């Protein structure tokens, strides 16, 4: 009659009638299993045998009874906890030692709860509220002013300038013209309606114009080339008997010599240098 054998995979001790542990389909006696596979407890440094519950966190292991707060020694089993410098702490101890304080109410912000951060300060979500309406800002856009925060509607009602053109609030940037505020996109040339922000422009009767429109509409025309004389940016021109010339266009009609700073003669609408004038 054959005898049935059921041995420990490592020490070969017969396991019939004894407690054993299966690992990768192989049976091990309790002693061999604990020696070969049990994790050492981070707290007491003893092996966590198969008869004990093994609690783990980030590749570290504890006996159930050793899994406790490093400061107050309260059990952390099935409770929220935080880690700091390899130590496990209950949320209360962690909050007292390390958590940031709310800028508004000065109370601790409990780990795991939502908080708002701005310019190095922290708030409880419900404490980060509009200075004017006192409603929590949450994830809505806001505008800071003098260490306070305002939701956009309240800021516009209390502080923002309103555009001279569209009458809506100016919350960022803007242009000032004749002591009046404008959105950059609303400050346009009176003639062609192109944006003037960041560009050179001039005005007529207090209305702004780009240089091209002003020249086309109001600038004097050169008697020689018929192009506009803007006079802007220090441009020089010659005026004589209600006629104007660009400095570079004020030349003798016969020999083309420049007459700027020289004497000249006229023959009907022509201007001539003295030499060409004497030959008439």
């Amino acid at each position: 009659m054959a005898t049935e054998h059921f041995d420990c995979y490592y020490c070969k001790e017969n396991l019939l009638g004894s407690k054993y542990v299966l690992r990768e389909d192989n049976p091990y006696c309790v002693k061999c299993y604990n020696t070969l596979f049990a994790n050492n407890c981070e707290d007491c440094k003893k092996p966590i045998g198969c008869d004990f519950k093994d609690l783990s966190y980030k590749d570290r292991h504890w006996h159930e009874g050793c899994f406790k707060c490093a400061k107050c020694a309260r059990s952390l089993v099935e409770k929220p906890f935080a880690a700091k410098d390899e130590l496990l702490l209950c949320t209360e101890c962690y909050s007292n030692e390390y958590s940031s304080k709310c800028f508004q109410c000065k109370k601790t912000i409990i780990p795991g709860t939502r908080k708002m951060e701005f310019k190095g300060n922290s708030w409880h979500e419900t404490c980060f509220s509009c200075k004017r309406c006192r409603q929590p800002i949450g994830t809505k856009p806001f505008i800071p002013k003098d260490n306070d925060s305002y939701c956009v509607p309240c800021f516009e009602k209390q502080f923002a300038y309103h555009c001279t053109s569209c009458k809506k609030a100016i919350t960022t940037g803007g242009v000032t013209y004749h002591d009046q505020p404008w959105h950059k996109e609303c400050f346009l040339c009176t003639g062609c309606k192109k944006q003037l922000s960041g560009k050179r422009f001039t005005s007529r009767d207090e209305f702004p114009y780009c240089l091209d429109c002003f020249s086309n509409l109001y600038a004097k025309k050169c008697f020689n080339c018929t192009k506009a004389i803007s006079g802007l940016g220090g441009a020089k021109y010659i005026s004589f008997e209600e006629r104007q010339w660009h400095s570079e266009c004020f030349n003798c009609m016969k020999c083309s010599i420049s007459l700027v700073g020289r004497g000249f003669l006229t023959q009907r609408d022509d201007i001539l240098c003295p030499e060409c004038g004497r030959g008439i």
Side-chain angles (χ1 to χ4, degrees), residues 109-157:
I109 301 175
I110 301 299
T113 60
R114 190 168 182 178
K115 68 177 180 178
M116 311 301 292
E117 294 183 328
F118 179 66
K119 288 188 175 180
N121 294 316
S122 301
W123 288 259
H124 292 107
E125 185 178 20
T126 53
C127 291
F128 190 64
S129 58
C130 171
K131 175 71 173 180
R132 188 170 187 266
C133 69
R134 301 298 181 183
Q135 294 299 309
I137 293 174
T139 58
K140 295 181 292 187
F142 68 94
I143 300 172
K145 181 176 175 60
D146 300 331
N147 293 324
D148 293 315
S149 299
Y150 296 82
C151 64
V152 174
C154 285
F155 183 88
E156 291 179 353
K157 290 176 183 177

Side-chain angles (χ1 to χ4, degrees), residues 165-213:
S165 175
C166 71
K167 310 305 179 185
K168 295 181 180 180
I170 301 172
T171 56
T172 57
V175 175
T176 300
Y177 174 69
H178 285 316
D179 295 325
Q180 293 180 322
W182 307 67
H183 289 112
K184 290 182 179 180
E185 59 271 19
C186 293
F187 188 58
L188 309 175
C189 171
T190 306
C192 66
K193 306 302 180 185
K194 292 182 179 179
Q195 286 191 30
L196 294 177
S197 178
K199 299 178 182 178
R200 295 182 62 200
F201 66 93
T202 187
S203 62
R204 171 93 174 196
D205 300 328
E206 297 190 356
F207 292 102
Y209 291 87
C210 68
L211 300 188
D212 288 340
C213 285

Side-chain angles (χ1 to χ4, degrees), residues 97-115:
E97 292 289 328
Y98 304 108
S99 289
S100 53
K101 302 295 188 292
C102 176
F103 188 77
Q104 177 66 28
C105 70
K106 310 305 179 185
K107 294 180 180 179
T108 298
I109 301 175
I110 301 299
T113 60
R114 190 168 182 178
K115 68 177 180 178

Side-chain angles (χ1 to χ4, degrees), residues 195-252:
Q195 286 191 30
L196 294 177
S197 178
K199 299 178 182 178
R200 295 182 62 200
F201 66 93
T202 187
S203 62
R204 171 93 174 196
D205 300 328
E206 297 190 356
F207 292 102
Y209 291 87
C210 68
L211 300 188
D212 288 340
C213 285
F214 183 84
S215 296
N216 292 334
L217 293 171
Y218 302 112
K220 300 178 184 298
K221 303 297 189 294
C222 177
F223 188 78
N224 185 15
C225 71
T226 70
K227 294 180 179 179
I229 302 174
S230 68
L232 298 170
K236 296 180 179 180
Y237 65 96
I238 310 298
S239 180
F240 175 70
E241 293 183 351
E242 298 184 355
R243 292 182 291 170
Q244 289 78 32
W245 292 262
H246 293 107
S247 293
E248 61 272 19
C249 294
F250 192 60
N251 303 322
C252 174

